[in-house]
Amino acid sequence: MGVTLNADPREVGLCPQRLARIEPWMDRLVADGRLAGLSVSVQRRGKTVFARACGQADMARGTPFTLDTVTRIYSMTKPLTSVAVMQLYEQGLFQLDDPVSRFLPEFAEMRVAVGGNRAKIETEPARRPITIRDLLTHTAGLTYGFMDATLVDAVYREKGIDFLAREGTLAEMTARTASAPLLAQPGEAWNYSVATDVLGYFVEVVSGRPFADYLRDEVIAPLGMVDTDFHLRPDLMDRFCACYVFDRERKLRPFDDSVETAYARPPAIPSGGGGLVSTAADYHRFCRMILNGGELDGRRLLGRKTVALMASNHLDGDLAAMGTPRFAETTYTGIGFGLGFSVMLDPAKAQIVGTPGEIAWGGMASTAFWIDPAEDLAVVLMTQLVPSSALPIRKELRVLTYAALVD
């Protein structure tokens, strides 16, 4: 079931004429060949006041992009994995400042890269252990091999550290990660990384259940996210979209097919950092749970104080103050990071309209969400263009949406 309009925007303090500006913006993106298709849905005070899809989910097959199109949400998986971690935290099974090596001993005695070259990387001992909070906040010193910017990134590629790989196990990939040197001393720099994938294995070890089963049973199913999983059920195949990338002429070409896709079968490794497929309606249910302080439709997943802790900035300043991030699903200045998503600190410094305390994240295929507790607002953008930095659509949508607030 797709997102359904259930309120006049004026009932919840939004101007219908201003909100309607989103429609021609969407149409231009498709008409200009910048996106194959997309959907935007806006909820305020629990009411859906805007929901529209346009363009194509599969250009080769002429399949329309609809409100219930199933997309690869990639890193929008991370907030769900973080909720799973915090559920176990609420059970008293660990503290945020516990060394991860207490549960994953392969992370004991880590070393940090300090120089050298591809032939021989110079390292020094980590000055303190990696903690659970370091993993939740991407300050553990881990990285992604695809960034291709440092010697440690190269090590990740050489070791085949890729949690979206179609062979191996979650335990094996985590062990490979622990065998690589750290990019920075734990806690000293913010660097986007496989940390949330490692947390997936952490959930598996602490809960004693396979990570995919735990996430389905304790997060996805209780939220009623009926079209969200690590692979496509057969009945979802006709709603799955193709994914695109720009060629050298800035024309859209296929990145992953909607039918001949690896998502048609369960993955070898359930990636807590980027493995889920989902829909706009499903992700809005996650957003509403966060806005409700951990509860949805009578099911409580987290306590409200835990949600408040997750939505707090855990960095010493903004992302820019924690070194020079090489990649993120957000800008750096004026933006902090909580336990699983970014946190708006200062809209003026971020140079974008918004609200302090707003939390957000996105995915590699240009999907995005943000949750504004002060405005009781949630917005979900679904599309499929790799990489997410190819177009400034997230910023543009934020401006269009916030401009419609009039109460």
Side-chain angles (χ1 to χ4, degrees), residues 207-223:
S207 70
R209 297 155 62 182
F211 169 60
D213 292 349
Y214 182 95
L215 197 68
R216 290 188 194 102
D217 295 345
E218 305 299 334
V219 180
I220 294 171
L223 286 174

Side-chain angles (χ1 to χ4, degrees), residues 104-140:
L104 308 181
E106 53 266 51
F107 284 95
E109 301 180 8
M110 296 297 291
R111 298 189 66 84
V112 181
V114 294
N117 52 46
R118 289 287 291 271
K120 182 175 177 56
I121 298 178
E122 297 173 2
T123 65
E124 66 180 15
R127 289 191 282 271
R128 69 160 176 80
I130 296 170
T131 66
I132 310 305
R133 191 181 79 155
D134 290 334
L135 293 174
L136 284 162
T137 58
H138 293 285
T139 58

